[in-house]
Amino acid sequence: MGTFTYNNSFDDDGDGDNLNGATEYGTAGTGLGVFNSPNSGDGDNEFVFYSGQNEENRLDLNANLTGSERVNSFAAEMTLDFTTQPGPWGDGESDGLTFNLGDPSSLSSTEEQGVSTGLSVRLAPFNWGTAGYSGNVIEIRWNDSVIGVTSVNDLSSPAAATFSVNVDASGNVTVSFGTETASGSIPGTEWTDTSQDGWDFVVAGRTGGNGGEVYIDDVDVSANTVCFVAGTLIDTPNGPVAVETLQPGDAVLTFDNGPQIIRWINARTLNKAQLDATPNLRPIIIHAGALGAGFPKTDLRVSRQHRVMARSRIAGRMFGCHEILMPAVKLLNIPGVCVDINADSVTYVHFLCQRHEVVLANGLPSETLLLGDEALKTLGQEALDEIRAIFPDIDADVSQPATAKVIPDHARLKKFVARHRDNNKPILTIAELDAVQADAAGTDFGHSI
């Protein structure tokens, strides 16, 4: 199940679903769910887990693994904030929160304890001095046994800090929250051998008898597989060719480096049941002309995390360069960009050239597969062995892979898109910027395609 991704800032992205396909299970209280926390200090929504006494909540991301499907590795990141507020049953200090990949039915009735089947990362921000209850810790559990723990003074101190969980293909777990870290390793071959049938990503927590709010924002759980949808036309020296008909050895035209040879290509088909069960696997539609005149020439469908090129003066002012790459899902607030909710099936195709490149897909500059750490982890062993045979030095280059264009962080992209939308400026302009640069340089300006 290496292609599962979940990204959410809990603001309306144009599809009317602030949970982006996830499911909330609030079991008590009224101050739960998606709204702008009064403690967040901004005007954006957050997902609030609890704010009064005896409140608890959970967010299931709906990976919904079945049969032999499994998560080989993953990276999760979010902004997390424990806050305090005085209450009649205590000093407003919350009991804790967990991030889990496991069987949701094994989730403890005290939800901050996490799942007993699978992986659970527990943040216990305070110590109540109760027998059998560990506090002031970051704790990593596998099948309800502690495999890593770090004692901390007070996890509420960082306030609105980055919380991240990373698991590699061997079952090594690294966790950080603010400046605090913890690590552990899942025993033996249990990570690769244990069935994940029925598992899901779940975030859960509660206050117990005390008040105290906790919320998350800017959640990013990602396997980062980059895919074109079958039927996409890729420009080649012989004209546009459907991506699913391309083969290793075929040449494609690149935005910066002329014709380049495809070294590896692969495809995966998802049926209606899989798309209905996991809405985040549905493609994004970028309708003709949505990003600028002729961009794309015809409707383009890509996976949520597939990056397309933006080129504008706003990009130059915000990022110091006019050309950037950004995930299609970040464009959902642009008119003409939406989730394909009617797809009965989809075939995703991804391919590699010698290096990360920008090609034309239905006339829109779009990336080829970027071989970063996460992409390698999620392609599956057979595909990984094939890629390593073709690119024998790949493992030395993936930690900081060379990208075809600048890839800004997700937080700044939200403001970038808002500025284009509010000022009615196209995301992608060619002629205007070419004229500006040609005049400045005193020469013609152009690209390979």
Side-chain angles (χ1 to χ4, degrees):
M1 184 61 186
T3 57
F4 177 78
T5 61
Y6 181 82
N7 305 93
N8 201 354
S9 61
F10 301 102
D11 298 308
D12 187 6
D13 59 8
D15 64 359
D17 178 14
N18 282 340
L19 293 181
N20 277 8
T23 304
E24 175 189 9
Y25 293 93
T27 57
T30 57
L32 307 174
V34 177
F35 60 89
N36 180 30
S37 165
N39 296 310
S40 66
D42 59 35
D44 297 333
N45 285 341
E46 293 79 31
F47 185 88
V48 179
F49 281 91
Y50 36 77
S51 60
Q53 68 184 58
N54 291 319
E55 289 188 352
E56 55 190 7
N57 202 3
R58 88 184 207 215
L59 187 69
D60 290 17
L61 304 191
N62 288 331
N64 297 329
L65 303 175
T66 59
S68 62
E69 291 180 331
R70 63 180 303 103
V71 171
N72 181 46
S73 62
F74 71 87
E77 184 176 289
M78 66 196 74
T79 301
L80 169 64
D81 194 0
F82 291 101
T83 66
T84 61
Q85 51 183 310
W89 289 87
D91 53 7
E93 297 178 344
S94 54
D95 286 7
L97 177 134
T98 57
F99 180 88
N100 307 271
L101 172 61
D103 182 356
S105 68
S106 73
L107 191 68
S108 170
S109 59
T110 53
E111 296 195 348
E112 83 283 359
Q113 299 292 329
V115 297
S116 59
T117 300
L119 177 70
S120 181
V121 176
R122 175 172 166 262
L123 303 182
F126 307 102
N127 194 342
W128 300 103
T130 303
Y133 181 88
S134 58
N136 295 133
V137 295
I138 299 176
E139 192 174 71
I140 305 170
R141 289 178 174 260
W142 172 252
N143 291 337
D144 217 21
S145 295
V146 176
I147 61 172
V149 64
T150 295
S151 297
V152 296
N153 290 326
D154 184 346
L155 285 179
S156 70
S157 298
T162 297
F163 171 42
S164 68
V165 180
N166 291 268
V167 181
D168 67 18
S170 299
N172 299 309
V173 186
T174 56
V175 179
S176 67
F177 179 51
T179 59
E180 304 287 355
T181 62
S183 62
S185 295
I186 295 170
T189 60
E190 292 182 26
W191 175 244
T192 55
D193 293 348
T194 300
S195 170
Q196 296 182 9
D197 184 25
W199 286 19
D200 195 4
F201 289 103
V202 179
V203 193
R206 69 167 187 144
T207 58
N210 296 275
E213 186 179 273
V214 73
Y215 56 84
I216 59 172
D217 201 0
D218 300 320
V219 177
D220 185 353
V221 179
S222 182
N224 294 328
T225 297
V226 176
C227 308
F228 293 104
V229 170
T232 300
L233 297 178
I234 305 296
D235 277 18
T236 77
N238 298 317
V241 174
V243 66
E244 69 271 22
T245 68
L246 293 170
Q247 299 291 327
D250 290 345
V252 293
L253 290 178
T254 68
F255 196 74
D256 298 298
N257 299 308
Q260 294 293 319
I261 300 299
I262 293 176
R263 304 293 303 279
W264 177 86
I265 191 165
N266 205 349
R268 181 192 181 194
T269 298
L270 301 172
N271 59 31
K272 186 177 188 301
Q274 290 170 305
L275 295 177
D276 289 344
T278 314
N280 283 315
L281 296 181
R282 289 188 173 275
I284 301 293
I285 304 176
I286 304 175
H287 286 284
L291 304 190
F295 300 115
K297 292 179 181 178
T298 57
D299 293 356
L300 174 67
R301 295 195 303 161
V302 294
S303 61
R304 294 170 67 91
Q305 295 305 313
H306 192 109
R307 299 181 187 95
V308 300
M309 195 177 86
R311 188 170 190 259
S312 70
R313 292 185 178 184
I314 293 175
R317 288 193 289 268
M318 288 190 64
F319 308 118
C321 57
H322 290 105
E323 297 173 351
I324 63 170
L325 288 170
M326 59 187 301
V329 69
K330 294 300 181 181
L331 294 166
L332 284 174
N333 281 337
I334 296 294
V337 182
C338 62
V339 177
D340 186 356
I341 61 174
N342 297 314
D344 288 333
S345 66
V346 62
T347 296
Y348 286 121
V349 183
H350 42 211
F351 65 86
L352 286 165
C353 296
Q354 184 64 37
R355 62 179 70 85
H356 191 223
E357 298 281 5
V358 173
V359 297
L360 281 186
N362 290 7
L364 181 67
S366 309
E367 69 172 344
T368 61
L369 179 62
L370 175 61
L371 276 185
D373 282 326
E374 292 307 313
L376 283 181
K377 291 174 184 176
T378 59
L379 287 172
Q381 191 60 49
E382 184 177 348
L384 183 56
D385 290 344
E386 185 178 350
I387 290 172
R388 282 182 169 140
I390 297 169
F391 301 88
D393 297 326
I394 195 64
D395 291 318
D397 301 327
V398 297
S399 295
Q400 294 182 318
T403 61
K405 304 290 179 185
V406 169
I407 301 176
D409 62 82
H410 287 187
R412 298 177 71 195
L413 286 175
K414 183 177 180 180
K415 182 177 181 181
F416 172 74
V417 170
R419 288 180 63 177
H420 277 274
R421 183 193 62 236
D422 294 345
N423 291 287
N424 196 28
K425 295 292 185 181
I427 291 285
L428 186 58
T429 58
I430 296 295
E432 177 189 12
L433 280 177
D434 282 354
V436 170
Q437 294 189 29
D439 181 65
T443 184
D444 290 335
F445 178 86
H447 291 278
S448 300
I449 57 176

